[in-house]
Amino acid sequence: MPKLDSTEMQSHTPGTSKTHHPSLATLLGPAFVAAIAYVDPGNVAANITAGARYSYLLVWVLLASNLAAMLIQYLSAKLGLVTRQSLPALLGTRLKKRARIGYWLQAEVVAAATDLAEVIGGALALHLLFGLPLLTGGIIVGVVSTLLLTLQGSGTQKIFERVIIGLLVIITIGFLAGLAIAPPDGPSVVAGLVPRFAGTDSVLVAASMLGATVMPHAIYLHSSLVNDHDEKAPRANLKHYLRATRIDIVWALGLAGIVNIGLLLLAASALSGVSGTDTIEGAHTAIASALGPVVAMIFAVGLLASGLASTSVGAYAGSEIMAGLLHIRIPLIVRRLITLIPALIILGIGAEPTWALVVSQVILSFGIPFAILPLIRYTRQPSIMGEHSNATITQVCGTLIAVAIVALNIFLVALTLAPYFGFDI
């Protein structure tokens, strides 16, 4: 891992030609905000289901998906640093008006679907902790996440990042605490790193884990975060910033990967063969039965932190998408309220939470190609990236990852919708 001089500051000392750069500590943060997308409530049940059904078999899936996410998020951050524009802003300057509006509409639908999953996750956590009705829990999540968003803005961006990092720490403790009581089997974990399946259903579970790895809003947002982090900083040495960004991503997404793998390991060690873990409520009940109420409570606290952090980051992403594609910027809190309404309606009409989560994931699947394909295309163009355009190996890996993710999401959508149209796949 590259090392940065922690004493360097970005300035020019009078009378010298030496350039100083910001310390590593001051550059960390954007990737931790983006990493919240990888530990949102939508991932919890999937990872626990994988571990409960197939024990350690699919550990390799989470490892591979996390490595893919690191590359995709780095490309997004690199695009933002080099061009000083976000991915939505670049799209906004290259698309005609009708195309921009269409692009924005699909992105807004995806943003609403993202919010739906995250608000439902937070509402479920409050229900598990305090027995609150889901609608009441959803309103509380909306209010608290709105307060969190007041920390985001010029001069307060780093405060917002620190709060999100704090929530990420709570998520980590909440989701991994059970491993202290039910540690995984080392040889079985190593065996789980070998790619293999155990029948058609295991392929479907693996596809759902991989297909939900890269979230559209995380791709759009990271290209903004790297510039919002320090808006007025000069870029005398762009390579310094790119190197710091790589470290930021390795640490942040490495932590997110540990959380996801830890959830699977917890389920494999404590819940293997237990039925009813296909829903978050079922997983919580199974954890309480196997590991005790204290561990179950800590898990629910982690789920609450996940819902609050992820829905705040999702609203932030929606604001950047609108600003980039439509050149319209409305108050972030207003956006938060608009995207919150569909989630509250779903909770208010009494829809089954797991069904709502499945629908939201299907909607998200439709939005992934619109984010990932332009990213791969733009970052390989010297006319946009200059000397920082993708190297051949980076472009090949990025293209393969993009094709795999898009194909997996098409596969998941087909499998999800087929029963409703009378097909048996």
Side-chain angles (χ1 to χ4, degrees):
M1 182 182 294
K3 295 182 179 179
L4 301 180
D5 183 357
S6 61
T7 64
E8 290 182 332
M9 297 297 293
Q10 174 94 12
S11 62
H12 290 278
T13 304
T16 72
S17 60
K18 184 178 180 179
T19 300
H20 299 281
H21 308 296
S23 67
L24 171 62
T26 65
L27 295 176
L28 295 179
F32 284 87
V33 176
I36 290 295
Y38 297 89
V39 291
D40 70 2
N43 293 326
V44 175
N47 294 329
I48 290 181
T49 297
R53 284 190 190 178
Y54 301 107
S55 192
Y56 302 94
L57 179 73
L58 300 178
V59 172
W60 67 273
V61 176
L62 287 178
L63 179 62
S65 63
N66 199 65
L67 293 174
M70 286 182 178
L71 177 58
I72 294 300
Q73 293 303 139
Y74 174 65
L75 293 181
S76 175
K78 183 174 76 166
L79 181 72
L81 283 171
V82 173
T83 66
R84 300 302 295 261
Q85 296 184 78
S86 68
L87 176 58
L90 284 168
L91 285 165
T93 60
R94 285 163 171 75
L95 298 176
K96 295 182 179 179
K97 185 175 181 180
R98 285 188 178 181
R100 282 194 294 114
I101 293 174
Y103 226 97
W104 169 74
L105 286 174
Q106 64 82 25
E108 284 296 328
V109 172
V110 168
T114 301
D115 225 26
L116 174 63
E118 293 158 353
V119 171
I120 287 176
L124 278 171
L126 289 171
H127 174 70
L128 296 173
L129 286 168
F130 307 110
L132 295 178
L134 291 177
L135 178 58
T136 303
I139 293 172
I140 292 174
V141 169
V143 171
V144 175
S145 61
T146 300
L147 293 175
L148 288 177
L149 283 170
T150 62
L151 300 174
Q152 190 282 323
S154 180
T156 59
Q157 180 68 23
K158 293 181 181 179
I159 298 175
F160 177 74
E161 290 174 2
R162 289 172 190 145
V163 171
I164 294 298
I165 291 172
L167 289 171
L168 182 57
V169 171
I170 295 174
I171 292 167
T172 303
I173 295 172
F175 289 162
L176 301 186
L179 290 174
I181 297 175
D185 178 66
S188 297
V189 174
V190 174
L193 297 176
V194 179
R196 63 192 191 282
F197 297 102
T200 304
D201 187 63
S202 68
V203 177
L204 176 59
V205 172
S208 67
M209 295 161 68
L210 275 169
T213 295
V214 180
M215 293 290 102
H217 69 286
I219 298 174
Y220 292 127
L221 182 59
H222 207 158
S223 56
S224 295
L225 287 169
V226 289
N227 291 317
D228 291 348
H229 179 77
D230 201 356
E231 297 175 286
K232 298 180 180 180
R235 301 280 164 80
N237 187 346
L238 187 56
K239 290 183 179 179
H240 175 79
Y241 282 84
L242 292 172
R243 184 168 48 167
T245 295
R246 287 194 292 271
I247 295 173
D248 193 25
I249 288 171
V250 168
W251 287 4
L253 269 72
L255 180 59
I258 289 172
V259 171
N260 282 316
I261 292 174
L263 281 167
L264 186 149
L265 297 182
L266 177 63
S269 62
L271 308 177
S272 185
V274 176
S275 61
T277 59
D278 291 348
T279 67
I280 292 177
E281 288 178 287
H284 177 266
T285 301
I287 290 172
S289 176
L291 303 176
V294 174
V295 174
M297 181 188 70
I298 296 173
F299 172 84
V301 170
L303 179 63
L304 178 59
S306 172
L308 290 173
S310 55
T311 192
S312 300
V313 171
Y316 184 2
S319 176
E320 294 302 312
I321 292 168
M322 174 179 277
L325 286 170
L326 298 188
H327 313 304
I328 298 173
R329 189 175 289 277
I330 63 176
L332 194 53
I333 294 176
V334 174
R335 276 205 53 88
R336 159 80 288 206
L337 296 175
I338 293 173
T339 55
L340 181 63
I341 291 173
L344 294 181
I345 291 175
I346 294 294
L347 292 174
I349 63 177
E352 205 282 314
T354 300
W355 174 84
L357 286 172
V358 169
V359 171
S360 70
Q361 295 305 306
V362 172
I363 295 173
L364 284 172
S365 298
F366 284 110
I368 288 178
F370 292 97
I372 197 170
L373 295 180
L375 176 68
I376 300 299
R377 178 186 175 190
Y378 289 164
T379 52
R380 72 175 172 82
Q381 294 183 5
S383 60
I384 295 175
M385 304 296 292
E387 64 177 308
H388 300 288
S389 59
N390 294 339
T392 301
I393 185 63
T394 302
Q395 186 64 24
V396 170
C397 290
T399 301
L400 290 175
I401 290 169
V403 170
I405 291 174
V406 172
L408 282 167
N409 278 279
I410 292 174
F411 178 59
L412 281 175
V413 170
L415 286 176
T416 303
L417 298 181
Y420 298 97
F421 293 93
F423 296 105
D424 184 16
I425 299 180

